[in-house]
Amino acid sequence: MDSITMGLWTTLLVTAAAGIGGTGLGGALATLFRRDSGREASLLLSFAAGVMVSVSCFGLLTEAAAPGAMELVALGVFLGCAVTAGLNALLDHGRPSGGLVLAGVVMAAAIALHNVPEGMVIGASFIGGTMRQGWTMAAVIGLHNIPEGMAISAPMVAGGERRWRAAGIAALSGAPTVLGAALGYCLGTLGPTALTLTLSFAAGAMLYVVFGELLPEAAGLWKSKLPALAAVLGILVGMLIDG
């Protein structure tokens, strides 16, 4: 087995743990606890956002920014933001007000689609950066997937669905992350131009997730200055990881 094939299998296994494991864990937690702690969740989301910003800027974009390729990098970042924003709009549009079980199912379908570019981020991190960057990105995306899993299973359980079934549906919604990782990894092996676009696309997707989802959600959970400090701490940790 050559190094590229071995790297792909490693990427897929790690991504499965982050995608399926993250949403599955969130789904399971939502069936166990009825009250969530907004402060702790806000700090965790802010910290994860800081790590994502650091890894995206000092890791993915640094690797992508080859001499004379800045226009291509800018295009990739824009496409990553645009695609992720469009998928996020579909997710927001698919939140029906009636029927809690149906709401959970629709949320699962929307989040599954939304997880594809997140998987590409992990795949691009492994092929374009270092193993450490890939593992770090998988960890922060896995953390990000926990509240998504909770958002799927919580309404289903409240609507009368069996707890194990709700948690299982939440876990399955993370499966497309593996497909995204395979796409990101394989595209990154096609040559310098494809690698630049893939890394830039992944960075753009992550930046949208940070500024369009994680930080606004963290601010809504806890009106305090401490989440901002947690985000700065995350950036510093991300810099140390990339250093």
Side-chain angles (χ1 to χ4, degrees), residues 6-89:
M6 184 177 297
L8 175 59
W9 278 110
T10 300
T11 301
L12 296 182
L13 290 174
V14 172
T15 304
I20 301 174
T23 53
L25 177 60
L29 289 175
T31 67
L32 298 176
F33 302 101
R34 294 188 178 181
R35 296 181 60 187
D36 59 347
S37 178
R39 293 184 177 184
E40 285 79 0
S42 178
L43 292 175
L44 285 174
L45 290 175
S46 298
F47 178 80
V51 175
M52 287 183 178
V53 168
S54 187
V55 173
S56 296
C57 294
F58 301 113
L60 298 179
L61 289 179
T62 299
E63 295 289 339
M70 294 310 296
E71 293 83 1
L72 196 61
V73 171
L75 175 63
V77 171
F78 174 78
L79 290 176
C81 287
V83 170
T84 308
L87 294 176
N88 192 62

Side-chain angles (χ1 to χ4, degrees), residues 60 116-126 137 141 180 184 201-203 205-206:
L60 298 179
V116 174
E118 292 186 358
M120 291 184 67
V121 173
I122 301 176
S125 298
F126 271 105
M137 191 57 71
I141 287 179
F201 181 94
M206 275 298 92

